[in-house]
Structure formats: structure tokens, C-alpha cells
Amino acid sequence: MEWENVLLEKRGRVAILTVNRPDKLNALNRATRRDILAALDALEQDEEARVLVITGAGEKAFIAGADISEFAGMTAVKQRAVMKGRRAFDAVEDFSKPVIAMINGFCLGGGCELALACDLRVASTQAKFGQPEIKLGIIPGGGGTQRLTRIIGEGKAMELILTGDFIAAEEALNLGLVNYVWSSEELEAKTLELANKIAEMSPVALAMAKASVKNAARLNLKEGVDAEVDLFAICFSSEDKEEGVNAFLEKRKADFKGR
Ligand code: COA
């Protein structure tokens, strides 16, 4: 499937969404954010697609941020209206299937924020990360101050947001900002290996697991643990739970159908 600014392909159970504006380092303009939302909506209905990988076209960038040209002359009132609408960042976070950011280069500003909204982040050794909005006289507006802080802690998040400095992939790995760093040559194959491993699990259990882990940042401990009991119980309403348990008892590989 194809939109103007994003490409969507499927490799078995794994869907790959590529932001496709390589001449602009895949900067997220409004139309691209709209296309991402449309692609997510299409994938949400697609039972074949069990895991989503998001990446950027070209050799240089994952996504080099919001499209800065759209900020010129923009008023506070209009910008707020844009951001109060449905946000691609939140739609990625709320997407019911696991999402992996495959970061192949610059991962800056809104690009970093989109990656932060994903469930896992993997990067090539070439990747560079940063929230450079401060250099434009603004701050991250796509969840960066919140999600970066939750993922790497306040001290380092504050430093990155106040300085606008970029960090390399190795440092991102040490900070827990990315799960893995691989060479550019290996990045796609290793990412697909990881995505396929997850795609073999029950889609029902994956959705419940994602929702429950996300609750850790949204609810207090008591609410989160109580909600986990309910999400755990929902798994027991699935055919996949019977299949998973029986497969273990029969010493065979489970074949999860997402029911
Ligand atoms: N918005 C709009 N256009 C962008 C962009 C962005 N965030 N990032 C890159 N581009 C465009 C450049 O304007 C340039 O377009 P042009 O060829 O029409 O002039 C093209 O992408 C290539 O970028 P360029 O700056 O020439 O590449 P570089 O290798 O010299 O530098 C960066 C790469 C990432 C360091 C630099 O592009 C940059 O600082 N981008 C902005 C990052 C940022 O501040 N993001 C947060 C936005 S809130």
C-alpha cells in the first residue's frame, strides 16, 4: 500500500512503514503525519500484520524532526490546534500491535519523539539522536519531554532537551534509549528477526502485554497491578491461551491464530 509520504509493505506477519521523504531527511510535515495515521488505521484492521516496524527512507535519516518549514510564520493558536488534533505519536503508542522503530540515521526532534512512542527501538551504528528544538527557540511538542524522561530518566533527558546536543548510537544504547545497535548492513535483517520472533506470539497476549506495560507510566502501582489482573484474565478468554498451554503440554510449537 502507498500514500504520498509513507510506504507500507508486508513481509509475512511483519509490516514495514517507511517514512518516504529522503530529500528532506524524512522530516515530518503535516501531510506525512496524516499518512502515518492512515497507514496505522489500515494496519489496525489487518489481521495478517502482527508487528509493525517503522523506519525512514534513504541512508541518512530515520526522521530529522518536524518539518521546520511549517513553523515559519505559524501562530500559537494555529500550532496548538494542529497538535490538539489526533497525534501520530499517540496513535503509535496506542496502536494495539507491537511497534519497533528501526533507526537508520538521524533520529531528531519529532523523529526521536516518534521513536519514543514505539515499543522497541533498534538502531544502526550510524544513528544519531537528539531533541534539538531548543536551538529553534521551542521545546519538544510531540511527547518528548515526557517519554524521553520516562525512558532514560530526568537527568539525561533534561541535558539533551536543554542543550539540543546529539548523541551517538552507542550512548543511546547505554542510556537504554535503544534496545540494540547493529551495523547498517545488519540492521534490517536483525530487526526482522526480532520482529518475527515477537510476531510468533499470540496477538491477543501481545496486545494485553503492551497495554499493561504502558499502564506502568499511566497509573499508580495499585491501579496498574489491578489492571494487570484484568488484562491477564482477558488472555484466558482466548483460544490462543488454550493453544499455548496445550502446545507446551504436548511438547510442540504453538500456532497462535489471534483468537
Ligand atoms: N525540517 C525541514 N527540512 C529538513 C529538516 C527538518 N527537520 N531536516 C533536514 N531538512 C532538509 C534540509 O533543509 C535539506 O533540504 P534542502 O536540500 O532542500 O536544503 C535536506 O533536508 C538535507 O538536510 P541538510 O541540512 O542539508 O543535511 P546535513 O547532513 O547538512 O544536516 C542535519 C543534517 C540533520 C544535522 C540537519 O538537517 C538538521 O539540523 N536538521 C534539523 C534538525 C532539527 O532541528 N530537528 C528538530 C525539528 S523540531
Side-chain angles (χ1 to χ4, degrees):
M1 276 166 109
E2 212 167 305
W3 287 266
E4 194 188 335
N5 303 289
V6 306
L7 307 171
L8 192 54
E9 58 172 309
K10 290 219 295 226
R11 307 259 185 99
R13 292 169 165 177
V14 178
I16 305 177
L17 187 159
T18 304
V19 177
N20 190 30
R21 299 182 75 214
D23 295 348
K24 296 290 177 193
L25 305 188
N26 305 315
L28 292 179
N29 60 4
R30 220 179 302 173
T32 305
R33 294 197 302 270
R34 247 194 326 259
D35 288 352
I36 291 173
L37 287 170
L40 290 174
D41 286 344
L43 282 171
E44 195 69 80
Q45 306 303 322
D46 182 345
E47 284 185 16
E48 261 174 34
R50 294 193 178 184
V51 174
L52 171 62
V53 172
I54 300 183
T55 193
E59 307 279 289
K60 246 178 116 172
F62 171 67
I63 297 168
D67 191 318
I68 297 169
S69 66
E70 290 187 343
F71 290 158
M74 178 64 98
T75 65
V77 172
K78 277 195 212 152
Q79 187 61 43
R80 186 168 186 277
V82 168
M83 297 307 287
K84 282 285 174 186
R86 192 173 165 225
R87 289 184 285 264
F89 311 98
D90 300 341
V92 167
E93 181 166 293
D94 293 337
F95 192 62
S96 70
K97 308 173 194 197
V99 187
I100 304 175
M102 182 168 78
I103 301 158
N104 48 318
F106 287 112
C107 179
L108 304 173
C112 194
E113 290 174 302
L114 195 74
L116 289 164
C118 295
D119 302 308
L120 299 173
R121 286 157 291 283
V122 299
S124 81
T125 47
Q126 306 305 306
K128 294 240 177 327
F129 299 80
Q131 296 288 166
E133 291 88 346
I134 202 82
K135 295 181 179 170
L136 302 172
I138 58 175
I139 69 168
T145 63
Q146 303 306 297
R147 293 192 181 100
L148 186 63
T149 304
R150 282 177 159 86
I151 291 170
I152 68 170
E154 184 179 312
K156 202 67 194 180
M158 190 69 91
E159 180 188 334
L160 290 178
I161 290 166
L162 296 184
T163 63
D165 283 349
F166 297 172
I167 57 169
E170 277 305 318
E171 189 174 353
L173 184 64
N174 292 336
L175 289 169
L177 178 52
V178 297
N179 297 74
Y180 293 100
V181 174
W182 294 305
S183 71
S184 301
E185 297 73 38
E186 299 179 294
L187 179 65
E188 185 174 297
K190 292 278 197 186
T191 307
L192 286 173
E193 204 178 297
L194 175 64
N196 277 305
K197 184 200 282 188
I198 296 170
E200 284 188 6
M201 308 303 166
S202 157
V204 180
L206 288 173
M208 296 306 125
K210 173 169 174 168
S212 198
V213 173
K214 288 288 172 195
N215 277 345
R218 297 175 179 177
L219 305 178
N220 69 34
L221 184 65
K222 167 99 178 84
E223 292 163 341
V225 170
D226 284 349
E228 187 188 82
V229 170
D230 292 336
L231 294 166
F232 176 66
I234 288 173
C235 296
F236 282 71
S237 70
S238 71
E239 289 175 21
D240 281 354
K241 169 250 154 189
E242 285 301 306
E243 167 62 9
V245 170
N246 288 335
F248 176 82
L249 296 175
E250 291 161 17
K251 300 189 188 307
R252 60 174 175 83
K253 192 167 178 291
D255 178 14
F256 294 118
K257 299 274 198 284
R259 288 196 286 265

